[in-house]
Amino acid sequence: MKIDCVQTYNNRSFTALRIKKNNTNYLSSMPKKVIDKLDDVGEYLADTKYYHLDINKECYISHINGDRLYPPYPVDNAGTSLIIKGRLGASMVSKKLNYQKPSEVQKACDDIKSSDTQIERTAKIVKYLDDYEKNLLKKDTKIVINPTDSMEEKVDKLIDKYGI
């Protein structure tokens, strides 16, 4: 049985920031600035569903399916795509997040790069990955295109259903 809820504080469940118990040596080695931000990061990631920020002997991003991405996390603007790379063993893997407009990608890049600490930067990456996956699942819902729909409605539904 897998339990995603790790900590409860004031009746609030934090599922995305997961700190392994008995990990005081690693946490103690972190700068005070990072330790002071961890609670804020936990609250920022409280509503994520698919990605977690795990702190064990190092910080890494994990997906609910068990995949893990280890730092460094270079972020690249590729026009209408945001490319997030991470280390998986000895090789680098990429996550490609497609957006409608290049301005959305630029905004995401600027947001991630404006972080004060590496832990905040990683948390923003987790949030973007999670939000992107949530939006993909919304597209997978059954959209029914009826013959009686207007041409504009049909086009909108086709874009919603099959758009990338």
Side-chain angles (χ1 to χ4, degrees), residues 43-59:
E43 290 185 28
Y44 176 70
L45 295 176
D47 66 341
T48 58
K49 188 174 180 181
Y50 301 102
Y51 285 88
H52 304 285
L53 175 55
D54 288 338
I55 299 176
N56 194 351
K57 294 179 182 174
E58 64 181 314
C59 295

Side-chain angles (χ1 to χ4, degrees), residues 3 41 50 56 58 63 66 81-82 92 94 128 136 149 155:
I3 299 172
V41 166
Y50 301 102
N56 194 351
E58 64 181 314
H63 189 272
S81 297
L82 177 66
M92 291 293 282
S94 298
Y128 278 104
L136 281 180
D149 289 343
V155 169

